[in-house]
Amino acid sequence: MPPDKQAGITGTASVVHAVDWDGDGVLDLLVGDIGGNVYLVPNEGTPRKYAFGKSRQLQAGGKPLQVAGDAGPFAVDWDGDGLLDLLVGAGDGSVWFFRNVGSAKAPELAAGVRLVAPGQASFGADAPTTPHRGIRAKVCAVDWNGDGRLDLLVGDFTTQKANLPELTAEQKAEHAKLRKELASAQSRFSELVTKMRVPGRTKKEERARLEKEFEEVSRRLGEVQAKLPQEYENHGWVWLFLRNPAERPAGVP
């Protein structure tokens, strides 16, 4: 891909929300990308026959709307004025509110107001042992407790240390041996990947040998990893944020 070209119209790691954004009776697409941008892909067709037009990045406060990576848009009337606003989850775990100060058919977004603070991104040896809010926030607004106010459901991604039993001396010795073997296999795996990236520099017979060894090393990696305990676990928690009865909608004067 040339350096001045984009891999797709909205980047990568797309998060899509279907909504009638411009009030014309057909569903449009709001698409967040890994860079924290949010795009509108307008539906120029009908409710039964979609025909999506050219995408454009949404603006907020007169500037391109952008959050801290991994944008996850969700359109909803957050402030209760009858107009669709925009909530956006961000890569750092925060959630932002962009108020619609325009109209139903011509939405115009104000600058963002943070509703939820960033989460915690700790991996490997620094990972905590108890559940905690993570990153890559994805949001949904719903009246969860039936009190007439919209609440927030926020999904995330995080890593947590596994709750493992204490190892015996024999198990510790065996695991140390396996980790040494694993490190050696991972090193050889990386070497093989590097060599196989330039097939034109190797003869057919040498290429076949490299591919065979690659399969063997890959298989052995899987076998060794299966014997070692999973010290760290990836989680996707869902967090509930109930609307405070005395709270005025964020960003509303």
Side-chain angles (χ1 to χ4, degrees):
M1 181 67 64
D4 60 336
K5 299 295 183 181
Q6 191 173 354
I9 60 169
T10 58
T12 58
S14 297
V15 177
V16 181
H17 181 59
V19 63
D20 181 8
W21 182 247
D22 53 11
D24 62 358
V26 294
L27 289 175
D28 307 298
L29 298 180
L30 295 177
V31 184
D33 71 7
I34 199 169
N37 309 295
V38 179
Y39 295 82
L40 169 66
V41 186
N43 182 0
E44 299 171 350
T46 69
R48 292 182 176 274
K49 188 175 182 180
Y50 298 155
F52 293 105
K54 185 177 181 180
S55 66
R56 62 177 176 83
Q57 185 173 2
L58 291 185
Q59 305 285 306
K63 300 178 181 179
L65 191 160
Q66 188 174 49
V67 296
D70 284 301
F74 186 87
V76 67
D77 181 10
W78 180 251
D79 57 7
D81 64 355
L83 301 177
L84 280 178
D85 306 302
L86 186 64
L87 302 177
V88 182
D92 63 359
S94 61
V95 177
W96 292 79
F97 164 53
F98 297 88
R99 187 186 182 205
N100 183 359
V101 294
S103 66
K105 292 187 176 296
E108 181 181 339
L109 300 176
V113 175
R114 194 176 74 182
L115 300 181
V116 177
Q120 179 182 353
S122 300
F123 305 97
D126 295 327
T129 58
T130 56
H132 65 286
R133 283 196 53 244
I135 57 177
R136 304 180 192 173
K138 301 299 179 285
V139 63
C140 175
V142 63
D143 182 4
W144 183 257
N145 58 356
D147 65 354
R149 289 178 290 269
L150 289 175
D151 307 301
L152 292 179
L153 292 173
V154 181
D156 68 6
F157 170 83
T158 188
T159 298
Q160 182 176 320
K161 286 182 181 177
N163 184 17
L164 299 174
E166 184 66 28
L167 298 177
T168 65
E170 292 78 7
Q171 288 173 322
K172 290 180 180 179
E174 177 63 18
H175 288 176
K177 179 180 178 181
L178 288 170
R179 289 192 180 92
K180 184 175 181 180
E181 183 179 352
L182 181 64
S184 176
Q186 288 173 330
S187 176
R188 184 54 182 165
F189 181 90
S190 298
E191 292 173 0
L192 290 169
V193 168
T194 300
K195 290 182 178 180
M196 293 172 65
R197 281 177 177 168
V198 284
R201 298 182 184 178
T202 56
K203 295 181 180 180
K204 185 177 180 180
E205 296 79 6
E206 177 65 8
R207 177 74 181 181
R209 187 192 67 78
L210 289 173
E211 290 177 348
K212 182 178 180 181
E213 185 181 358
F214 180 82
E215 292 178 0
E216 293 173 350
V217 173
S218 299
R219 176 182 54 78
R220 186 55 185 158
L221 273 174
E223 293 174 348
V224 175
Q225 288 172 333
K227 294 178 181 179
L228 285 168
Q230 188 174 348
E231 297 182 57
Y232 310 101
E233 300 173 338
N234 292 333
H235 289 281
W237 304 110
V238 177
W239 302 86
L240 171 63
F241 294 85
L242 292 174
R243 196 78 162 265
N244 188 326
E247 174 190 343
R248 296 188 68 184
V252 178

